[in-house]
């Protein structure tokens, strides 16, 4: 598929897709004439980037995670990264739950005047 369709499928602008190519987050796609041709794997990586950005993960951090070998992205490395993100989110949720409990205790201690 061409870049326009990749843009529609991922919700990314064409400019953003080209930036991710430039930064090495996706491999420069093969060409058909003067057009870049994106694969299913390219779309999967672009969607991963979209989700990671929603979580506040920087492109520099992703650059260390999205590594390519001869046969494509190192999916195992990406899975380990995602498991780490999940662990961090669970820890953050637990911290927020503790803060909420604290606020509720403070509210309960306030006597109406």
């Amino acid at each position: 598929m061409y870049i326009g369709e990749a843009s529609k499928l991922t919700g990314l602008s064409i400019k953003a897709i080209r930036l991710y190519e430039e930064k090495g987050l996706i491999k420069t796609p093969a060409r058909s004439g003067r057009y870049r041709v994106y694969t299913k794997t390219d779309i999967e990586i672009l969607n991963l980037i979209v989700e990671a950005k929603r979580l506040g993960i920087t492109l520099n951090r992703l650059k260390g995670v999205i590594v390519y070998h001869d046969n494509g992205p190192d999916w195992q490395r990406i899975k380990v990264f995602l498991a780490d993100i999940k662990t961090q989110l669970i820890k953050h949720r637990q911290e927020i739950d503790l803060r909420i409990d604290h606020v509720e205790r403070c509210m309960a201690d306030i006597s109406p005047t």
Side-chain angles (χ1 to χ4, degrees), residues 24-61:
L25 293 169
I26 63 169
K27 285 198 166 209
T28 301
R31 291 187 175 264
S32 175
R34 57 182 216 149
Y35 298 102
R36 293 174 173 99
V37 180
Y38 293 84
T39 65
K40 179 181 177 244
T41 299
D42 296 326
I43 300 303
E44 290 170 344
I45 294 293
L46 289 169
N47 283 327
L48 172 69
I49 294 167
V50 168
E51 293 303 320
K53 286 184 66 185
R54 283 185 184 141
L55 293 170
I57 298 165
T58 66
L59 294 180
N60 282 337
R61 187 165 175 206

Side-chain angles (χ1 to χ4, degrees), residues 1-103:
M1 78 191 72
Y2 297 137
I3 197 166
E5 189 174 349
S7 173
K8 286 178 188 172
L9 285 174
T10 61
L12 293 166
S13 68
I14 291 172
K15 184 177 179 180
I17 293 171
R18 288 185 178 141
L19 172 70
Y20 300 152
E21 285 176 36
E22 181 182 307
K23 291 192 171 281
L25 293 169
I26 63 169
K27 285 198 166 209
T28 301
R31 291 187 175 264
S32 175
R34 57 182 216 149
Y35 298 102
R36 293 174 173 99
V37 180
Y38 293 84
T39 65
K40 179 181 177 244
T41 299
D42 296 326
I43 300 303
E44 290 170 344
I45 294 293
L46 289 169
N47 283 327
L48 172 69
I49 294 167
V50 168
E51 293 303 320
K53 286 184 66 185
R54 283 185 184 141
L55 293 170
I57 298 165
T58 66
L59 294 180
N60 282 337
R61 187 165 175 206
L62 282 176
K63 185 144 175 62
V65 173
I66 301 172
V67 176
Y68 288 87
H69 300 294
D70 292 336
N71 58 344
D74 184 343
W75 290 111
Q76 185 57 37
R77 183 182 187 110
I78 293 168
K79 284 181 182 180
V80 168
F81 170 75
L82 292 172
D84 182 53
I85 295 299
K86 179 181 176 183
T87 300
Q88 290 174 24
L89 289 170
I90 289 169
K91 182 180 177 185
H92 188 64
R93 179 176 61 192
Q94 291 168 342
E95 291 169 357
I96 289 172
D97 287 342
L98 288 172
R99 290 177 182 178
I100 290 170
D101 290 345
H102 181 75
V103 168

